[in-house]
Amino acid sequence: MNILIVGPSWVGDMVMAQTLFQCLKQRHPQCEIDVLAPEWSRPILERMPEVRKALSFPLGHGALELATRRRIGKSLAGQYDQAILLPNSLKSALVPFFAGIPKRTGWRGEFRYGLLNDVRTLDKERYPLMIERFMALAYEPNADLPKPYPRPSLQIDPVTREAALAKFGLTLDRPVLVLCPGAEFGEAKRWPSEHYAKVAEARIREGWQVWLFGSKNDHAVGEDIRARLIPGLREESVNLSGGTSLAEAIDLMSCADSVVSNDSGLMHVAAALNRPLVAVYGSTSPGFTPPLAEHVEIVRLGLDCSPCFDRTCRFGHYNCLRQLMPDAVNDALQRLQGSVVEVH
């Protein structure tokens, strides 16, 4: 049985999609799973043992380009028994339709009748978590999902990890604190730089080193955090934001002894690497997309105005993040100290 998954467009969602792949393998141990997704997601998919192939989808988020979708669909004709669509858009249903895949499964959305022939109606109360909505597509409609739920688990090749360490001149002679201070979603997910700097300072004074990760857009934030460290401490930190590929970032993050992250894609990567993780929440809630790992501390204030899920604070104060003090994160890191997790 060959199954084509049309994957999501965000790092965190792609990590959480592994729960669907795990469920499919439990139901159909001999099935082969290929994932059609943006090229950036290849390093994530290549670290999921359930996935046979990552198929690069060349179109940007939101682009229709009907002729290109038809061409891709025709190129996949006759190869798959089922397609499962994780996005709810009409566009995402076109390639499986053009490919003539016999069973095309997905949640109802954006006028997809005819394009899908196994249309599910989502009961948000039955499936409140995103992973439940992914996993449910592996089973018959309204099925009870087997528990315990699977957790994403990215597999690291020691050879590529050693190559990444050598490339960036990094050593593991001291414990590593990874900081992920960015968030593509917007400012209302970003814990302030000065708070991150206080956490970095406390760990460096205890003999740790600090690695900062993120996209090119996060490089300036990383530099701001480092600039707040006094000379002598600043040299024990390195800003890798925008300097690594996603593949290198994943491999290097697997070396972390602890991670502090905003609610972001890298938070889900850290969880899938089973790193001890402190997740900082402001405008969003762990009720829909929590980090799925054993050693997790969630830190949030829970103000009356949060979660608002806005990209920017409607009141302009960002108190859900600004008033969340570094001591709360340092205390959470201390609680995680007892949970030493082997790098795998």
Side-chain angles (χ1 to χ4, degrees):
M1 182 180 186
N2 293 336
I3 302 172
L4 178 69
I5 308 291
V6 179
S9 298
W10 298 94
V11 170
D13 294 359
M14 187 61 80
V15 172
M16 289 184 283
Q18 191 179 13
T19 58
L20 167 63
F21 312 154
Q22 291 163 328
C23 290
L24 288 170
K25 282 292 189 179
Q26 288 171 9
R27 282 202 77 192
H28 312 289
Q30 303 305 314
C31 76
E32 299 287 0
I33 299 171
D34 295 345
V35 181
L36 181 66
E39 176 62 22
W40 63 256
S41 64
R42 184 176 297 275
I44 297 174
L45 295 169
E46 287 176 341
R47 287 158 176 76
M48 294 179 176
E50 302 83 7
V51 175
R52 177 178 65 176
K53 278 193 300 188
L55 304 175
S56 179
F57 189 66
L59 300 181
H61 188 58
L64 179 57
E65 296 197 36
L66 197 61
T68 303
R69 292 178 192 272
R70 181 183 287 110
R71 177 178 54 78
I72 295 170
K74 295 297 184 185
S75 73
L76 299 175
Q79 298 182 40
Y80 298 99
D81 304 289
Q82 183 181 10
I84 299 177
L85 287 67
L86 296 186
N88 288 331
S89 64
L90 182 146
K91 296 183 293 291
S92 65
L94 291 170
V95 168
F97 176 77
F98 289 136
I101 297 173
K103 185 177 183 181
R104 303 183 298 278
T105 302
W107 296 111
R108 187 179 66 191
E110 272 198 17
F111 310 106
R112 303 200 290 183
Y113 291 106
L115 297 177
L116 301 183
N117 55 16
D118 178 21
V119 183
R120 312 292 181 86
T121 301
L122 176 61
D123 181 342
K124 293 183 179 180
E125 291 187 5
R126 184 183 183 90
Y127 301 130
L129 296 175
M130 180 179 282
I131 61 161
E132 292 172 328
R133 298 173 190 184
F134 287 168
M135 292 162 56
L137 296 176
Y139 301 97
E140 299 306 314
N142 300 313
D144 289 325
L145 302 179
K147 292 186 177 180
Y149 291 165
R151 288 174 175 158
S153 180
L154 300 178
Q155 304 301 306
I156 300 300
D157 182 346
V159 174
T160 61
R161 178 169 55 208
E162 288 299 324
L165 287 166
K167 176 178 176 179
F168 294 97
L170 301 171
T171 61
L172 302 178
D173 56 336
R174 288 157 294 151
V176 176
L177 172 65
V178 162
L179 301 181
C180 304
E184 292 296 320
F185 179 80
E187 194 65 28
K189 275 189 175 185
R190 294 192 185 106
W191 201 41
S193 295
E194 58 266 31
H195 293 349
Y196 269 108
K198 288 291 186 185
V199 171
E201 177 182 347
R203 281 294 165 273
I204 291 170
R205 290 187 182 280
E206 291 180 6
W208 289 50
Q209 55 182 315
V210 173
W211 301 351
L212 295 110
F213 287 93
S215 68
K216 289 180 181 177
N217 294 336
D218 304 318
H219 185 81
V221 174
E223 287 303 289
D224 185 28
I225 292 169
R226 293 187 70 243
R228 294 170 186 274
L229 299 171
I230 63 171
L233 300 185
R234 188 179 305 145
E235 290 75 14
E236 305 306 319
S237 65
V238 57
N239 183 11
L240 298 163
S241 301
T244 69
S245 65
L246 179 57
E248 290 163 342
I250 295 170
D251 289 347
L252 291 173
M253 282 183 70
S254 74
C255 301
D257 294 279
S258 291
V259 178
V260 179
S261 178
N262 298 333
D263 175 17
S264 67
L266 289 180
M267 176 192 77
H268 291 286
V269 169
L273 292 169
N274 200 26
R275 298 296 87 209
L277 169 66
V278 179
V280 180
Y281 280 81
S283 66
T284 56
S285 164
F288 181 46
T289 55
L292 303 168
E294 187 176 350
H295 306 287
V296 173
E297 290 272 345
I298 291 174
V299 180
R300 62 191 294 263
L301 287 180
L303 302 183
D304 289 343
C305 57
S306 66
C308 65
F309 299 99
D310 289 343
R311 291 177 181 269
T312 56
C313 179
R314 66 186 72 175
F315 303 111
H317 54 54
Y318 298 95
N319 284 346
C320 61
L321 292 166
R322 294 190 186 284
Q323 293 180 358
L324 182 55
M325 292 292 107
D327 283 350
V329 170
N330 279 325
D331 290 347
L333 282 170
Q334 211 61 46
R335 290 192 293 271
L336 287 171
Q337 287 289 186
S339 58
V340 177
V341 183
E342 291 298 320
V343 177
H344 52 250

